[in-house]
Amino acid sequence: MSKNKLLFLSLMLLIGSASCKKQLDVGNPNSPTLVSDVTNEASLAAFAQGAVYVDGFQQSNAYNWLGNGYFSLNYSYSELLGDMVGSTDANEIVNTINIPYYVILDNSTKYTSNGGANNEAQATQLRVGNTRASTAAGYNPLYYQWCDMYLLNGSCNTILAEIPTVKSLSADAVSTIQAWAYFWKGYAYSVIGSQYTAGLISDVAGATNGNYLIKDSIIAASNANFSKASSILGGISSGSADYTRVIGELIPTTYQGTPHGGIPTPTVWIHNINTMLARNILVNKLSPFVNGSLSATISKASIPVMTQSDWQNVLSLATSGIQTGDAVFTATSDPVNSLYPTKDGNITLMAAGPNSDLVFQPGLRLTQNFNAGDQRLALDFTAGPADTFYNDYFSTVYSLINTSNGSSTVYNYSDQDIGAYELFFAGSWEENTLMMAEANIMLGNTDAGLTLVDAERNYQGAGVAATAGTGLTQAQAYNQLVRERRVALFGRGLSFWDSRRWGWIYDITQGGGSYGNKLLYLPSTGASVMNVNATFDYNFMDYWDIPADEVILNPPSKGTASVVTNPNY
Amino acid sequence: MLVTMGLHAQMTQITGKVTDATGTPIPAATIRLKNGKGGTSADLQGNFTLKAPPNAVLLISGIGYETKEVKLGSSATIAIQLSTDSRSLSEVVVTGVGVATSKKKLGISVEAVTASQLPATPTASIDQALIGKIPGAQISSVSGNPGDPVNILLRGINSIQGGTMPLIMLDGIQLRTTDLNSLDLSTIERVEVVQGAASAALYGAQGANGVIQLFSKKGRKGPLAINFSTSYSANQYINSGHVNKAQLHPYATDANNNIIDGSGNPDTLNYAGVYPYVAYTYGGAARSGIENPLNINNKPYNANLKWYDHFKEVFQTGSTLNNSINFSGAGDKADYAFGVSNNHTVSPVMKNGYVDRTNLTSNVGVELFKGFKLRSTTQIIYTRNTMVPGLGGPQYNGYGYGNQPGGVGNIFSWLNTPAFYQLNAKLSDGTYPAKQVSGNYLGANAFNPFYVQEYVIGTDNRVDVVQDFDADYKLSKFVELDAKYGINYRSEGDQVTYLNQSLNVNSSTYFAGGTYSGWYAPDNTGEIDKFQYNNTFQNFLANAYIRTDWEKDFHSKLPITTSTQVGFDWRKTRYTEFDTYGLGLPLAPPINVTATSAQGVIEDYVEPFVTYGYLVNQVIDFGDYGGIAGGFRSDFSSAFGEGSKAFTFPHANAYFTPSGFKSWEDGIGNTLSFVKVRAAYGQAGIQPGAFQRYPVINQGDLGQNLTYSIPSTSNNPNLGVEVSTEKEIGTDLSISAAKQGQWLNQINISATYWERKSKNVIWTVNTAPSQGITGELTNAITLHSDGYQVQLNLPVYKAKNFSWDFTINYGHQISVLDKIQGETQILLTSNGGTSQVLQAGYKIGQISGYKALTSLDATNQEGVPYIAKADYGNYTMVNGRVVDTARHYIQFTNETYPIGDGNPKFTASFINGFNYKGMLSLSFQFDWIYGSHLYNQTKEWMYRDGIHQDFAKNVTISGRTAQFTSYWSSAYYDDGSGNGNDAARDYFYESSSFLRLRNLSLGFDAASILKISGIKRLQLVLTGRNIWTKTKYSGMDPEMTVGSPNSSWDRTVDQSTIPNIKSYQVGLNVGF
């Protein structure tokens, strides 16, 4: 009898198991998958949009917590190393990464933080911090930009891999999404090749390789991807409804209505690409301009000096670059689900407001570049005792205004109101115009260059006297260009590359240094002293080493180990 | 059943009845003649008959009761009452063995605690009461925030992501959605604990972290009994390190010692409640002044600015009021117990809110027909929590999973407020300032908790239902069928309102609207966040037990009994969460979501989970000599990787009892009355996360657009269960030191050594970013743990009117990481920023950091000296560390080292109980944690602005003694070697060993004196909890050993964790 009962029980258990097994594949009802949800144009576009904006620029790496996302940290490093802003916060060493090797005060005394010998060279600090442990602790600046850009590149690889799996796409839709992926791959390689001494070319979704290549090859890869995008775009007819629809699905709706954003036509997009191609040349060659001298030389740098043909190439690319009224790639903050928080999505937003409560303070080496009467300084900044902030080399007397400057014509560096500040991902009309101006000046067309500088100043509502036709020498003209580039492009992530190519970040013994600077010096006793002719020896590493997180987890394949660190430091 | 023995003519027939203290019969009690052969056992009603010579002495014993000697008198009928045996070896346990088994016949270690051994804790929660009671287990209260869970680490660590929380069961059914600390302590009869895979193998994929099983009280035979209890306690946070802020300062002053502003005038508070300019005497109003070697922290706050005791302002005296009433009784065929209780706890943090919990319980059993019993146990719990989020209140996503600590981010946000600010000073309009900062640098990270209390409102309402049904059918003497079904439901709604703060001049004007309280809001105009959590869990268990007794059933000569369990176990969970926000609140009522200017959905989430398994367990006992058991369990789970294949967990154990042999009994048995050795082996698991096997893409919104993106770390379709394989060996002994005396007549010792290996431990291993992701989830890690535990339990003294019981619990355990797939080191950062690592060869909890140089010739790991010989003159030794004489900076390495793991060398508890005539009772428990360490991150943060009291301490550098700010601050700030401010440094790694008077309780029962009819108990109890601590730890509480409760790795860092409370309680217990 008990046997029967046991049999009965066993049978019940078997039935139970059969019915249970079906329950086990619960799936994840909360999240989509590539296989089941990226199946048509709209969902592929939704993926292509997120792959770029979210993976590349939002919260792509877990350690990024200063501000929020790509710009608040990576653009900040550029502005810190370009000596545009200072910080007292220790997060991601934003308070020490920019400490100069030493400074010579107006009274010719040497000033270092430790009161004695030179401060630690930045290369030493970066290398001490280039460990995976340091990354985890948030003290490895080399990690972030590398990580963000390779996540962007990886996601673009996945976009390209997904396109053939979606059957219902029109030819122009395929082209548009391909151009999108190649463009952002070009962008990622551009950033990597301009910032790091070497990189990897990784064009297979979900895979990588250990074949580290020096930066020139990465810039070449950037150019190749941009060119691919360009030629695909060239094959799309200008009136293609498919193109217009798809690009409208790729660029977030909000950004289509910003002052400089919108939907680029294929031609306008090619203009944007040309500007980036010009930038790839310009920021990766030297154009030494130390102590006001165009004949300065840098004895030991990772890059050669611009040649006349380089300037010609920059001029011709920029000439076919972003034109007046062209839509460019920008973003603004949204009231909800914003790409970046309206108060700290970018360096200028984080530097805006009363100095007392800020991560970054706008520095004197930024403001000293404004010509007298510049409306951008008058309307966007306040100065005075309440704006005085003491921080070693980075003490300042300015605050950046955190709301509208009240003018419809004067450029606004920062506006923390929702949707008010426009952030530039890639090239802008100003950058393109100033590249043309610079190339003209360096090719001997001084006045043509100055005319463009003046045009750019007018565009931003500077309200200063024109420089063209005032008989400036080439060096004086270049000085105007340099000053204008520093103020016009503040907050767009270019300042470090500019300081590098002008030779300022190199050690004085190698011909570098930055002369004639303002510095509010606070002695250990007594009142502060405003210096106006301080010499900064930054001695920064010109191209960064590869972060340990990459090198250790992806060891260099045979023969490529030597390129992962900058050989000049 | 009567076992007849050789009969004598002189024998007389005795009939008797064996009952417990309440009159409930003890079935199957054993009755033996002391000095002769013969004996019997009682029937189901406790009755027995026995033939015995005149004046014989009977030994009556029952499982779970103390053996009693009765000398026969002239009467032919006797009534025998046995008292329950609180000591370990006679108990009957079910956890880990499936069927009720005497601890004498266990091959595994099972710890049990009865209700009478659990202290009355202020929160009336079981988890609190268990602290120190289980040998080997590290159960510790790591937060005194009302409602927070305790940390439970049984034997070692098995999982990194899964934490250390064991499986919690109530009457055989898993308690999954209701927090352990929500149950009403007064309804719990006993608690059993099995600590690892060897003993928890029956629980398969749920069992690796061990099991804590609770048994609820049943009605006892007899008329209606009513018990009423009430208690009140006053609660304060422990500050055993006397942490406070420096009462001296280094700031620039005038001749009258007034702190001066930039123009040299005495500072005054401005309209926003701020002293805008405070400067160091040297170096001005800059953060860097603190590192200036000229600044001395030696000026008293005796002029315009005063010193305020912020600890006193914030940490007040909270309270707890407990009331409970229980009704119970039983007849022949049915029993019942009903209870109502309420616990109301007011937070000691500025009395900012309360947790109010009401429990309705019932436990009803009925025997429907012979052998068929039904039982229903129910707990309905209503909890209302009004504590402010940030000041201890429930906080945000995932809170509904349960066992979550409250949000405490603002409780310590004033640690960095300069001591010259009064936190509760109001602005002219009667509101509080948000931020009290000076000179743009002092207090830059501060935030005022009074501001939070003023502008933030939290209300969390929760209903828990725990319903278990049990049907048990004894089909025959061989077969018993048992089915259990339990449903555990939790529904919780949480609303957080951040009021519009735009009229506050500190927030709006002084900080331009950039400083405010909020969560999703981008500005200070307020928001309402609503969180709705539902969690439903069902558990169905079907078991068949087949028992045989060869002697009785098959008339075999072999004293073999067998028990076979065949079981099926099914569990299903469904968790849902729906969260919304509304941004922008009006300044005037109505303050509701309709009045907000923008609304959004934060989360709309559902998480299903199903698992089920089969179990076979065979037990064979050989009389009193020993036994073996073995079997396996196979589990399926929706969380197991591709194909959802079953995973099978085997187990086997055996015990040998030499004292069961007759020869032993007569010899060494006189002193060593019971000896058992046991060994067990078993496997158990921890389930992966519900969705970790599903590769997905992220769905999100970008402005008005829906986007998909690739998660930066990837899931793994082949993920397997985490498996823990454990071996344990142990012994249980009873020593009768002085058999007849009043002192030490029995000493019970249980000791167990265990070791285990945890494989397939899940973690995200880092990948090279160029792959397009930063990490991959996988079964990456192998760990091993070992340890031992000892319980010594002795009735020190026992006389008619007075007894003294003493228990020592002692345990040691370590968990070491053996291997990580593809990596040498996994990097973690705890909430506080302290670097923690998982590194092969090191213990879990390892902290990585910089070491202070302790000799001038110190070298780095490559052997390069830090200081050139020529420069030795520039350095000196201060407190054992190298300090540079010019700047006073402590010198640290520029490479990180493993600086410690914090794990204690042992944990021990000493529990004493004294009882006089059942009327007066005194008990106390000391807990001793030895060899533990904490990283004092809280102190490190207080070093940032020179706020910690250490800054007022003298230090002698190169013959000069003063309170150098540069010396103290160098422990916090980067000295230029690039290791960053606030980096982990061994300077802040401290011993946190402690000895704590966990509990001191004095009870006086007046019922026996007053003899009021109908009142069985009238007891006044005075209890002190955590009232004394001996430690060298300089933080508030050395017990704050975890960053987040039940985390495997976020331990050993004191990161503004909320200290435990010390409390004084008065209680009254009345029984009718």
Side-chain angles (χ1 to χ4, degrees), chain B residues 497-511:
Chain B
T497 306
Y498 294 89
L499 297 173
N500 187 320
Q501 301 144 53
S502 60
L503 293 184
N504 184 290
V505 293
N506 181 285
S507 167
S508 251
T509 312
Y510 195 72
F511 290 104

PDB file of all heavy atoms in Angstrom, chain B residues 497-511:
ATOM      1  N   THR B 497       8.616  63.949  -0.064  1.00  0.00           N
ATOM      2  CA  THR B 497       8.318  65.293  -0.531  1.00  0.00           C
ATOM      3  C   THR B 497       9.468  66.222  -0.169  1.00  0.00           C
ATOM      4  O   THR B 497       9.868  66.290   1.000  1.00  0.00           O
ATOM      5  CB  THR B 497       7.023  65.814   0.119  1.00  0.00           C
ATOM      6  OG1 THR B 497       5.986  64.865  -0.129  1.00  0.00           O
ATOM      7  CG2 THR B 497       6.628  67.167  -0.444  1.00  0.00           C
ATOM      8  N   TYR B 498      10.027  66.843  -1.163  1.00  0.00           N
ATOM      9  CA  TYR B 498      10.995  67.912  -0.931  1.00  0.00           C
ATOM     10  C   TYR B 498      10.239  69.211  -1.176  1.00  0.00           C
ATOM     11  O   TYR B 498       9.833  69.489  -2.305  1.00  0.00           O
ATOM     12  CB  TYR B 498      12.169  67.814  -1.904  1.00  0.00           C
ATOM     13  CG  TYR B 498      13.030  66.585  -1.711  1.00  0.00           C
ATOM     14  CD1 TYR B 498      12.737  65.390  -2.366  1.00  0.00           C
ATOM     15  CD2 TYR B 498      14.139  66.622  -0.874  1.00  0.00           C
ATOM     16  CE1 TYR B 498      13.531  64.267  -2.184  1.00  0.00           C
ATOM     17  CE2 TYR B 498      14.936  65.494  -0.697  1.00  0.00           C
ATOM     18  CZ  TYR B 498      14.627  64.323  -1.351  1.00  0.00           C
ATOM     19  OH  TYR B 498      15.406  63.222  -1.181  1.00  0.00           O
ATOM     20  N   LEU B 499      10.033  69.969  -0.125  1.00  0.00           N
ATOM     21  CA  LEU B 499       9.252  71.191  -0.261  1.00  0.00           C
ATOM     22  C   LEU B 499      10.017  72.209  -1.106  1.00  0.00           C
ATOM     23  O   LEU B 499      11.232  72.141  -1.242  1.00  0.00           O
ATOM     24  CB  LEU B 499       8.955  71.767   1.118  1.00  0.00           C
ATOM     25  CG  LEU B 499       8.107  70.871   2.030  1.00  0.00           C
ATOM     26  CD1 LEU B 499       8.021  71.463   3.424  1.00  0.00           C
ATOM     27  CD2 LEU B 499       6.715  70.665   1.454  1.00  0.00           C
ATOM     28  N   ASN B 500       9.265  73.142  -1.624  1.00  0.00           N
ATOM     29  CA  ASN B 500       9.862  74.235  -2.387  1.00  0.00           C
ATOM     30  C   ASN B 500      10.734  75.080  -1.443  1.00  0.00           C
ATOM     31  O   ASN B 500      10.268  75.601  -0.444  1.00  0.00           O
ATOM     32  CB  ASN B 500       8.742  75.080  -2.991  1.00  0.00           C
ATOM     33  CG  ASN B 500       9.289  76.127  -3.941  1.00  0.00           C
ATOM     34  OD1 ASN B 500      10.318  76.743  -3.683  1.00  0.00           O
ATOM     35  ND2 ASN B 500       8.597  76.315  -5.053  1.00  0.00           N
ATOM     36  N   GLN B 501      12.030  75.157  -1.785  1.00  0.00           N
ATOM     37  CA  GLN B 501      12.971  75.835  -0.892  1.00  0.00           C
ATOM     38  C   GLN B 501      13.395  77.198  -1.414  1.00  0.00           C
ATOM     39  O   GLN B 501      14.363  77.793  -0.939  1.00  0.00           O
ATOM     40  CB  GLN B 501      14.210  74.938  -0.714  1.00  0.00           C
ATOM     41  CG  GLN B 501      13.882  73.571  -0.135  1.00  0.00           C
ATOM     42  CD  GLN B 501      14.739  72.429  -0.699  1.00  0.00           C
ATOM     43  OE1 GLN B 501      15.960  72.512  -0.685  1.00  0.00           O
ATOM     44  NE2 GLN B 501      14.088  71.383  -1.198  1.00  0.00           N
ATOM     45  N   SER B 502      12.660  77.705  -2.417  1.00  0.00           N
ATOM     46  CA  SER B 502      13.147  78.900  -3.092  1.00  0.00           C
ATOM     47  C   SER B 502      13.045  80.160  -2.240  1.00  0.00           C
ATOM     48  O   SER B 502      13.607  81.189  -2.591  1.00  0.00           O
ATOM     49  CB  SER B 502      12.423  79.088  -4.428  1.00  0.00           C
ATOM     50  OG  SER B 502      11.041  79.219  -4.202  1.00  0.00           O
ATOM     51  N   LEU B 503      12.314  80.091  -1.126  1.00  0.00           N
ATOM     52  CA  LEU B 503      12.255  81.273  -0.261  1.00  0.00           C
ATOM     53  C   LEU B 503      13.385  81.290   0.769  1.00  0.00           C
ATOM     54  O   LEU B 503      13.562  82.257   1.486  1.00  0.00           O
ATOM     55  CB  LEU B 503      10.909  81.345   0.471  1.00  0.00           C
ATOM     56  CG  LEU B 503       9.678  81.588  -0.417  1.00  0.00           C
ATOM     57  CD1 LEU B 503       8.423  81.725   0.425  1.00  0.00           C
ATOM     58  CD2 LEU B 503       9.868  82.821  -1.281  1.00  0.00           C
ATOM     59  N   ASN B 504      14.130  80.200   0.832  1.00  0.00           N
ATOM     60  CA  ASN B 504      15.229  80.141   1.795  1.00  0.00           C
ATOM     61  C   ASN B 504      16.408  80.952   1.243  1.00  0.00           C
ATOM     62  O   ASN B 504      16.946  80.638   0.182  1.00  0.00           O
ATOM     63  CB  ASN B 504      15.628  78.675   2.015  1.00  0.00           C
ATOM     64  CG  ASN B 504      16.692  78.525   3.076  1.00  0.00           C
ATOM     65  OD1 ASN B 504      17.836  78.912   2.866  1.00  0.00           O
ATOM     66  ND2 ASN B 504      16.317  77.972   4.212  1.00  0.00           N
ATOM     67  N   VAL B 505      16.813  81.995   1.940  1.00  0.00           N
ATOM     68  CA  VAL B 505      17.837  82.892   1.378  1.00  0.00           C
ATOM     69  C   VAL B 505      19.199  82.217   1.291  1.00  0.00           C
ATOM     70  O   VAL B 505      20.021  82.560   0.445  1.00  0.00           O
ATOM     71  CB  VAL B 505      17.978  84.211   2.174  1.00  0.00           C
ATOM     72  CG1 VAL B 505      16.723  85.054   2.034  1.00  0.00           C
ATOM     73  CG2 VAL B 505      18.298  83.956   3.637  1.00  0.00           C
ATOM     74  N   ASN B 506      19.438  81.274   2.173  1.00  0.00           N
ATOM     75  CA  ASN B 506      20.724  80.567   2.113  1.00  0.00           C
ATOM     76  C   ASN B 506      20.800  79.761   0.828  1.00  0.00           C
ATOM     77  O   ASN B 506      21.784  79.829   0.093  1.00  0.00           O
ATOM     78  CB  ASN B 506      20.875  79.674   3.350  1.00  0.00           C
ATOM     79  CG  ASN B 506      22.185  78.924   3.369  1.00  0.00           C
ATOM     80  OD1 ASN B 506      22.365  77.961   2.651  1.00  0.00           O
ATOM     81  ND2 ASN B 506      23.127  79.382   4.203  1.00  0.00           N
ATOM     82  N   SER B 507      19.737  79.006   0.530  1.00  0.00           N
ATOM     83  CA  SER B 507      19.726  78.180  -0.670  1.00  0.00           C
ATOM     84  C   SER B 507      19.598  79.027  -1.924  1.00  0.00           C
ATOM     85  O   SER B 507      20.354  78.886  -2.873  1.00  0.00           O
ATOM     86  CB  SER B 507      18.569  77.177  -0.588  1.00  0.00           C
ATOM     87  OG  SER B 507      18.342  76.574  -1.830  1.00  0.00           O
ATOM     88  N   SER B 508      18.621  79.921  -1.915  1.00  0.00           N
ATOM     89  CA  SER B 508      18.246  80.610  -3.150  1.00  0.00           C
ATOM     90  C   SER B 508      19.149  81.780  -3.489  1.00  0.00           C
ATOM     91  O   SER B 508      19.540  81.944  -4.627  1.00  0.00           O
ATOM     92  CB  SER B 508      16.815  81.117  -3.032  1.00  0.00           C
ATOM     93  OG  SER B 508      15.994  80.361  -3.863  1.00  0.00           O
ATOM     94  N   THR B 509      19.451  82.590  -2.480  1.00  0.00           N
ATOM     95  CA  THR B 509      20.197  83.808  -2.774  1.00  0.00           C
ATOM     96  C   THR B 509      21.687  83.591  -2.612  1.00  0.00           C
ATOM     97  O   THR B 509      22.465  83.793  -3.532  1.00  0.00           O
ATOM     98  CB  THR B 509      19.727  84.952  -1.843  1.00  0.00           C
ATOM     99  OG1 THR B 509      18.300  84.970  -1.856  1.00  0.00           O
ATOM    100  CG2 THR B 509      20.244  86.285  -2.321  1.00  0.00           C
ATOM    101  N   TYR B 510      22.075  83.089  -1.424  1.00  0.00           N
ATOM    102  CA  TYR B 510      23.509  82.993  -1.157  1.00  0.00           C
ATOM    103  C   TYR B 510      24.172  81.963  -2.063  1.00  0.00           C
ATOM    104  O   TYR B 510      25.255  82.171  -2.576  1.00  0.00           O
ATOM    105  CB  TYR B 510      23.753  82.647   0.316  1.00  0.00           C
ATOM    106  CG  TYR B 510      25.180  82.888   0.742  1.00  0.00           C
ATOM    107  CD1 TYR B 510      25.657  84.198   0.897  1.00  0.00           C
ATOM    108  CD2 TYR B 510      26.051  81.839   0.936  1.00  0.00           C
ATOM    109  CE1 TYR B 510      26.965  84.434   1.261  1.00  0.00           C
ATOM    110  CE2 TYR B 510      27.367  82.069   1.295  1.00  0.00           C
ATOM    111  CZ  TYR B 510      27.824  83.364   1.457  1.00  0.00           C
ATOM    112  OH  TYR B 510      29.121  83.593   1.807  1.00  0.00           O
ATOM    113  N   PHE B 511      23.516  80.840  -2.247  1.00  0.00           N
ATOM    114  CA  PHE B 511      24.097  79.815  -3.105  1.00  0.00           C
ATOM    115  C   PHE B 511      23.406  79.764  -4.468  1.00  0.00           C
ATOM    116  O   PHE B 511      23.465  78.756  -5.166  1.00  0.00           O
ATOM    117  CB  PHE B 511      24.065  78.458  -2.414  1.00  0.00           C
ATOM    118  CG  PHE B 511      25.021  78.388  -1.256  1.00  0.00           C
ATOM    119  CD1 PHE B 511      24.564  78.464   0.038  1.00  0.00           C
ATOM    120  CD2 PHE B 511      26.373  78.321  -1.495  1.00  0.00           C
ATOM    121  CE1 PHE B 511      25.460  78.435   1.097  1.00  0.00           C
ATOM    122  CE2 PHE B 511      27.277  78.291  -0.445  1.00  0.00           C
ATOM    123  CZ  PHE B 511      26.819  78.348   0.863  1.00  0.00           C
TER     124      PHE B 511
END
